[in-house]
Amino acid sequence: MNIKLEQYKIFNEAASTLSFSLAARNLFISQSAVSQAIRLLEKELHTQLFIRQSKGVILTKEGQILHQKISEALSLITSAENQIAHFHELNQGELLIGAGDTLSENYIMPYLVLFHQHYPHVKIKMVNRTSLEIIDLLKTGDIDLGFINMPLYDEAITIRECLQIHDIFVSSHQDSHSYTMDELVNEPLIMLEKNSNSRQFVDDYFAMQGFLLNPSIELGSHNLLLEAAKNHLGKACVIKEFSQHELDSHQIYEVNLTHALPKRSIGYAYLSRKTLTPATSKFIELLPVFQNE
């Protein structure tokens, strides 16, 4: 048997993407080179690894077995290469992160500052997208690490919880009254735009209780929600953990609810089949260890 490591790398990419064209693009080679490498591998192993279809390919049973083992082996090889290449010394490289605007400003930024202080020669690139868009960017390789609203499930993505947050309503004045959901929906409300994950979470929770939220003002950022509340425009739905300064300084006050909104979680995500870059690994190490309550 005269199988080269490069053939297995090509097979692994094709098996992971289930597309010869996408594998070729990811490996920066031609599609014909991918097809030829797979044919040679099948010839050497005397077995069919893929079933060709009009749109992409699927793995045979033998292909599935080989993919599992080859993926594990390549992961070990890549890990060893990274360690040999001075894993702990980041004198160059790039950190590619995706997150929503609110998380970028209120949670991730301090860690970016700390990362830059430790590794000033690493280029940092951050893109702001919704959680579903971030998953897509991870799959296409445009980012290495994404921060998303949980729960979100994708078999190709590994997700780790890193923060729990609480949605609350705030206003510019202190009010001892405890609002029922029925009373609250009839108040002048200020909320994020409908395309945001945070807004969707709150809308869904109220809908499950039989209430439809119809805010009088919709805004595009968390900071604008705070400003609107401070300027007496209504009761704003904000994230408590990202509004603590305004709450502590009595610029805004939390609205008492008879039924508090359930807590939700933020997680960081990365592509399961792809070994983390040294920069990504070091950034994750800076995040506090999450302790589930």
Side-chain angles (χ1 to χ4, degrees):
M1 221 175 265
N2 187 29
I3 301 173
K4 297 180 180 179
L5 179 62
E6 196 62 28
Q7 287 176 265
Y8 280 133
K9 288 182 177 179
I10 293 172
F11 164 78
N12 186 64
E13 192 65 28
S16 298
T17 60
L18 295 178
S19 168
F20 285 9
S21 60
L22 187 54
R25 190 181 75 180
N26 292 345
L27 295 171
F28 302 101
I29 59 177
S30 66
Q31 186 172 339
S32 61
V34 172
S35 298
Q36 183 179 1
I38 298 300
R39 282 198 300 270
L40 289 174
L41 187 58
E42 290 177 328
K43 182 179 179 181
E44 288 287 341
L45 295 174
H46 305 290
T47 189
Q48 185 178 359
L49 299 172
F50 292 95
I51 298 174
R52 279 73 170 174
Q53 298 181 320
S54 58
K55 293 184 178 180
V57 294
I58 59 174
L59 286 164
T60 62
K61 183 65 176 179
E62 294 85 351
Q64 293 174 9
I65 295 172
L66 184 64
H67 180 221
Q68 179 184 353
K69 299 301 181 182
I70 292 302
S71 181
E72 293 171 357
L74 291 177
S75 179
L76 288 173
I77 291 171
T78 302
S79 178
E81 288 174 344
N82 286 339
Q83 291 179 26
I84 293 171
H86 305 291
F87 185 84
H88 298 289
E89 296 179 11
L90 289 178
N91 295 319
Q92 58 182 0
E94 193 171 32
L95 177 64
L96 304 174
I97 297 182
D101 294 333
T102 300
L103 284 177
S104 298
E105 295 173 3
N106 297 282
Y107 178 67
I108 300 172
M109 184 55 65
Y111 300 110
L112 286 179
V113 172
L114 187 59
F115 180 87
H116 181 67
Q117 291 172 348
H118 281 83
Y119 312 108
H121 301 294
V122 176
K123 181 179 179 181
I124 298 173
K125 179 182 178 182
M126 172 171 278
V127 295
N128 296 125
R129 298 288 190 277
T130 65
S131 292
L132 291 177
E133 289 172 331
I134 285 169
I135 295 298
D136 290 337
L137 290 175
L138 286 170
K139 290 181 176 179
T140 57
D142 291 303
I143 60 173
D144 296 320
L145 184 68
F147 288 82
I148 61 168
N149 290 283
M150 300 174 67
L152 198 156
Y153 304 100
D154 192 303
E155 61 182 13
I157 304 296
T158 297
I159 301 173
R160 299 281 184 260
E161 190 175 19
C162 61
L163 177 69
Q164 287 188 342
I165 56 177
H166 300 79
D167 297 283
I168 62 172
F169 285 85
V170 298
S171 68
S172 59
H173 61 278
Q174 196 166 18
D175 187 349
S176 60
H177 178 67
S178 289
Y179 288 81
T180 64
M181 297 182 78
D182 189 30
E183 291 174 322
L184 186 65
V185 296
N186 291 302
E187 291 288 312
L189 300 180
I190 309 164
M191 301 189 70
L192 286 173
E193 297 169 329
K194 276 187 172 293
N195 63 348
S196 71
N197 296 95
S198 296
R199 169 68 184 276
Q200 190 64 55
F201 175 84
V202 177
D203 277 354
D204 289 348
Y205 177 73
F206 273 80
M208 285 190 296
Q209 313 305 317
F211 297 98
L212 180 65
L213 288 173
N214 185 28
S216 56
I217 300 176
E218 293 182 332
L219 299 171
S221 76
H222 189 263
N223 286 340
L224 287 176
L225 294 175
L226 293 172
E227 289 302 314
K230 287 189 286 185
N231 284 281
H232 321 292
L233 296 181
K235 293 177 172 60
C237 185
V238 300
I239 296 172
K240 185 172 185 176
E241 287 74 11
F242 302 156
S243 311
Q244 205 58 56
H245 171 72
E246 287 79 5
L247 289 166
D248 291 342
S249 58
H250 304 299
Q251 299 178 61
I252 54 174
Y253 297 87
E254 182 174 354
V255 175
N256 295 315
L257 302 178
T258 55
H259 292 87
L261 277 72
K263 64 186 177 184
R264 56 190 175 98
S265 297
I266 301 300
Y268 63 82
Y270 54 87
L271 200 60
S272 300
R273 66 178 176 84
K274 182 180 178 181
T275 302
L276 293 176
T277 66
T280 304
S281 295
K282 285 302 180 183
F283 185 79
I284 290 174
E285 287 179 13
L286 295 177
L287 301 175
V289 178
F290 177 75
Q291 299 292 338
N292 204 343
E293 296 177 2

